[in-house]
Amino acid sequence: METWEYVEMDNMPKTSCQLLNILWAENRALTLDELTRLVNSNYSVRWSKQDIFLFLRQLLIGDYAEKKRRGFKVYYVALGSDYEL
């Protein structure tokens, strides 16, 4: 991932902001495994996939991100991103 500017919003937890920033920076659809790996490596934390999913769910409910299925895989992307699945 390239260097990017971090954006934090007052209306959501810090971890949700971190996930959203990663989705924006990557500008592509990511699996839960990929998101977990990126959050843990970029922010030097050790979150489980279940923990990441709870914060990701807030992004989905708040319409900051969307979930797409392709075959048996589920991908997540920030709304407004340019991506092809």
Side-chain angles (χ1 to χ4, degrees), residues 65-76:
E66 67 180 335
K67 174 170 85 170
K68 297 279 187 176
R69 287 191 179 273
R70 185 170 187 187
F72 292 110
K73 288 199 174 199
V74 177
Y75 294 89
Y76 302 92

PDB file of all heavy atoms in Angstrom, residues 65-76:
ATOM      1  N   ALA A  65     -19.614   1.421   3.149  1.00  0.00           N
ATOM      2  CA  ALA A  65     -19.037   0.313   2.385  1.00  0.00           C
ATOM      3  C   ALA A  65     -20.168  -0.605   1.942  1.00  0.00           C
ATOM      4  O   ALA A  65     -21.291  -0.532   2.446  1.00  0.00           O
ATOM      5  CB  ALA A  65     -18.034  -0.459   3.237  1.00  0.00           C
ATOM      6  N   GLU A  66     -19.847  -1.457   0.983  1.00  0.00           N
ATOM      7  CA  GLU A  66     -20.827  -2.441   0.536  1.00  0.00           C
ATOM      8  C   GLU A  66     -20.174  -3.809   0.424  1.00  0.00           C
ATOM      9  O   GLU A  66     -18.957  -3.925   0.316  1.00  0.00           O
ATOM     10  CB  GLU A  66     -21.462  -2.025  -0.785  1.00  0.00           C
ATOM     11  CG  GLU A  66     -20.527  -2.016  -1.973  1.00  0.00           C
ATOM     12  CD  GLU A  66     -21.217  -1.582  -3.263  1.00  0.00           C
ATOM     13  OE1 GLU A  66     -22.449  -1.744  -3.378  1.00  0.00           O
ATOM     14  OE2 GLU A  66     -20.524  -1.102  -4.159  1.00  0.00           O
ATOM     15  N   LYS A  67     -21.030  -4.811   0.443  1.00  0.00           N
ATOM     16  CA  LYS A  67     -20.590  -6.203   0.389  1.00  0.00           C
ATOM     17  C   LYS A  67     -21.032  -6.780  -0.943  1.00  0.00           C
ATOM     18  O   LYS A  67     -22.173  -6.578  -1.360  1.00  0.00           O
ATOM     19  CB  LYS A  67     -21.235  -6.955   1.554  1.00  0.00           C
ATOM     20  CG  LYS A  67     -20.999  -8.420   1.579  1.00  0.00           C
ATOM     21  CD  LYS A  67     -21.476  -9.023   2.891  1.00  0.00           C
ATOM     22  CE  LYS A  67     -22.930  -9.341   2.881  1.00  0.00           C
ATOM     23  NZ  LYS A  67     -23.347 -10.138   4.056  1.00  0.00           N
ATOM     24  N   LYS A  68     -20.124  -7.469  -1.610  1.00  0.00           N
ATOM     25  CA  LYS A  68     -20.423  -8.111  -2.894  1.00  0.00           C
ATOM     26  C   LYS A  68     -19.997  -9.570  -2.825  1.00  0.00           C
ATOM     27  O   LYS A  68     -18.996  -9.905  -2.194  1.00  0.00           O
ATOM     28  CB  LYS A  68     -19.643  -7.441  -4.034  1.00  0.00           C
ATOM     29  CG  LYS A  68     -19.990  -6.008  -4.265  1.00  0.00           C
ATOM     30  CD  LYS A  68     -21.231  -5.913  -5.075  1.00  0.00           C
ATOM     31  CE  LYS A  68     -21.483  -4.459  -5.466  1.00  0.00           C
ATOM     32  NZ  LYS A  68     -22.595  -4.309  -6.315  1.00  0.00           N
ATOM     33  N   ARG A  69     -20.745 -10.425  -3.481  1.00  0.00           N
ATOM     34  CA  ARG A  69     -20.385 -11.842  -3.565  1.00  0.00           C
ATOM     35  C   ARG A  69     -19.937 -12.168  -4.977  1.00  0.00           C
ATOM     36  O   ARG A  69     -20.531 -11.707  -5.944  1.00  0.00           O
ATOM     37  CB  ARG A  69     -21.568 -12.727  -3.222  1.00  0.00           C
ATOM     38  CG  ARG A  69     -21.920 -12.734  -1.776  1.00  0.00           C
ATOM     39  CD  ARG A  69     -22.923 -13.853  -1.507  1.00  0.00           C
ATOM     40  NE  ARG A  69     -23.248 -13.888  -0.106  1.00  0.00           N
ATOM     41  CZ  ARG A  69     -22.556 -14.571   0.801  1.00  0.00           C
ATOM     42  NH1 ARG A  69     -21.527 -15.276   0.433  1.00  0.00           N
ATOM     43  NH2 ARG A  69     -22.905 -14.557   2.055  1.00  0.00           N
ATOM     44  N   ARG A  70     -18.921 -12.968  -5.043  1.00  0.00           N
ATOM     45  CA  ARG A  70     -18.491 -13.508  -6.330  1.00  0.00           C
ATOM     46  C   ARG A  70     -18.165 -14.971  -6.082  1.00  0.00           C
ATOM     47  O   ARG A  70     -17.167 -15.280  -5.425  1.00  0.00           O
ATOM     48  CB  ARG A  70     -17.281 -12.773  -6.875  1.00  0.00           C
ATOM     49  CG  ARG A  70     -16.933 -13.262  -8.255  1.00  0.00           C
ATOM     50  CD  ARG A  70     -15.915 -12.393  -8.890  1.00  0.00           C
ATOM     51  NE  ARG A  70     -15.755 -12.824 -10.287  1.00  0.00           N
ATOM     52  CZ  ARG A  70     -14.858 -12.370 -11.083  1.00  0.00           C
ATOM     53  NH1 ARG A  70     -14.031 -11.442 -10.675  1.00  0.00           N
ATOM     54  NH2 ARG A  70     -14.769 -12.812 -12.310  1.00  0.00           N
ATOM     55  N   GLY A  71     -19.018 -15.839  -6.574  1.00  0.00           N
ATOM     56  CA  GLY A  71     -18.869 -17.255  -6.277  1.00  0.00           C
ATOM     57  C   GLY A  71     -19.074 -17.472  -4.782  1.00  0.00           C
ATOM     58  O   GLY A  71     -20.060 -17.030  -4.210  1.00  0.00           O
ATOM     59  N   PHE A  72     -18.119 -18.127  -4.147  1.00  0.00           N
ATOM     60  CA  PHE A  72     -18.206 -18.385  -2.715  1.00  0.00           C
ATOM     61  C   PHE A  72     -17.491 -17.333  -1.882  1.00  0.00           C
ATOM     62  O   PHE A  72     -17.488 -17.408  -0.664  1.00  0.00           O
ATOM     63  CB  PHE A  72     -17.628 -19.772  -2.388  1.00  0.00           C
ATOM     64  CG  PHE A  72     -18.454 -20.893  -2.938  1.00  0.00           C
ATOM     65  CD1 PHE A  72     -17.986 -21.657  -3.988  1.00  0.00           C
ATOM     66  CD2 PHE A  72     -19.709 -21.158  -2.420  1.00  0.00           C
ATOM     67  CE1 PHE A  72     -18.758 -22.688  -4.507  1.00  0.00           C
ATOM     68  CE2 PHE A  72     -20.485 -22.179  -2.927  1.00  0.00           C
ATOM     69  CZ  PHE A  72     -20.015 -22.957  -3.975  1.00  0.00           C
ATOM     70  N   LYS A  73     -16.878 -16.349  -2.519  1.00  0.00           N
ATOM     71  CA  LYS A  73     -16.136 -15.315  -1.790  1.00  0.00           C
ATOM     72  C   LYS A  73     -16.981 -14.061  -1.594  1.00  0.00           C
ATOM     73  O   LYS A  73     -17.781 -13.703  -2.452  1.00  0.00           O
ATOM     74  CB  LYS A  73     -14.848 -14.950  -2.524  1.00  0.00           C
ATOM     75  CG  LYS A  73     -13.805 -16.030  -2.455  1.00  0.00           C
ATOM     76  CD  LYS A  73     -12.462 -15.455  -2.757  1.00  0.00           C
ATOM     77  CE  LYS A  73     -11.427 -16.540  -2.521  1.00  0.00           C
ATOM     78  NZ  LYS A  73     -10.125 -16.001  -2.347  1.00  0.00           N
ATOM     79  N   VAL A  74     -16.756 -13.403  -0.460  1.00  0.00           N
ATOM     80  CA  VAL A  74     -17.420 -12.143  -0.144  1.00  0.00           C
ATOM     81  C   VAL A  74     -16.351 -11.055  -0.143  1.00  0.00           C
ATOM     82  O   VAL A  74     -15.287 -11.225   0.458  1.00  0.00           O
ATOM     83  CB  VAL A  74     -18.116 -12.201   1.229  1.00  0.00           C
ATOM     84  CG1 VAL A  74     -18.733 -10.861   1.575  1.00  0.00           C
ATOM     85  CG2 VAL A  74     -19.167 -13.299   1.248  1.00  0.00           C
ATOM     86  N   TYR A  75     -16.636  -9.968  -0.826  1.00  0.00           N
ATOM     87  CA  TYR A  75     -15.709  -8.849  -0.932  1.00  0.00           C
ATOM     88  C   TYR A  75     -16.354  -7.595  -0.365  1.00  0.00           C
ATOM     89  O   TYR A  75     -17.578  -7.433  -0.427  1.00  0.00           O
ATOM     90  CB  TYR A  75     -15.339  -8.591  -2.403  1.00  0.00           C
ATOM     91  CG  TYR A  75     -14.567  -9.700  -3.031  1.00  0.00           C
ATOM     92  CD1 TYR A  75     -15.212 -10.757  -3.659  1.00  0.00           C
ATOM     93  CD2 TYR A  75     -13.179  -9.700  -3.008  1.00  0.00           C
ATOM     94  CE1 TYR A  75     -14.494 -11.790  -4.239  1.00  0.00           C
ATOM     95  CE2 TYR A  75     -12.454 -10.724  -3.590  1.00  0.00           C
ATOM     96  CZ  TYR A  75     -13.119 -11.768  -4.207  1.00  0.00           C
ATOM     97  OH  TYR A  75     -12.409 -12.795  -4.768  1.00  0.00           O
ATOM     98  N   TYR A  76     -15.514  -6.711   0.158  1.00  0.00           N
ATOM     99  CA  TYR A  76     -15.970  -5.444   0.712  1.00  0.00           C
ATOM    100  C   TYR A  76     -15.246  -4.315   0.004  1.00  0.00           C
ATOM    101  O   TYR A  76     -14.081  -4.419  -0.319  1.00  0.00           O
ATOM    102  CB  TYR A  76     -15.678  -5.394   2.226  1.00  0.00           C
ATOM    103  CG  TYR A  76     -16.330  -6.524   2.955  1.00  0.00           C
ATOM    104  CD1 TYR A  76     -15.666  -7.719   3.183  1.00  0.00           C
ATOM    105  CD2 TYR A  76     -17.653  -6.415   3.397  1.00  0.00           C
ATOM    106  CE1 TYR A  76     -16.273  -8.776   3.832  1.00  0.00           C
ATOM    107  CE2 TYR A  76     -18.270  -7.469   4.052  1.00  0.00           C
ATOM    108  CZ  TYR A  76     -17.570  -8.637   4.258  1.00  0.00           C
ATOM    109  OH  TYR A  76     -18.196  -9.685   4.904  1.00  0.00           O
TER     110      TYR A  76
END
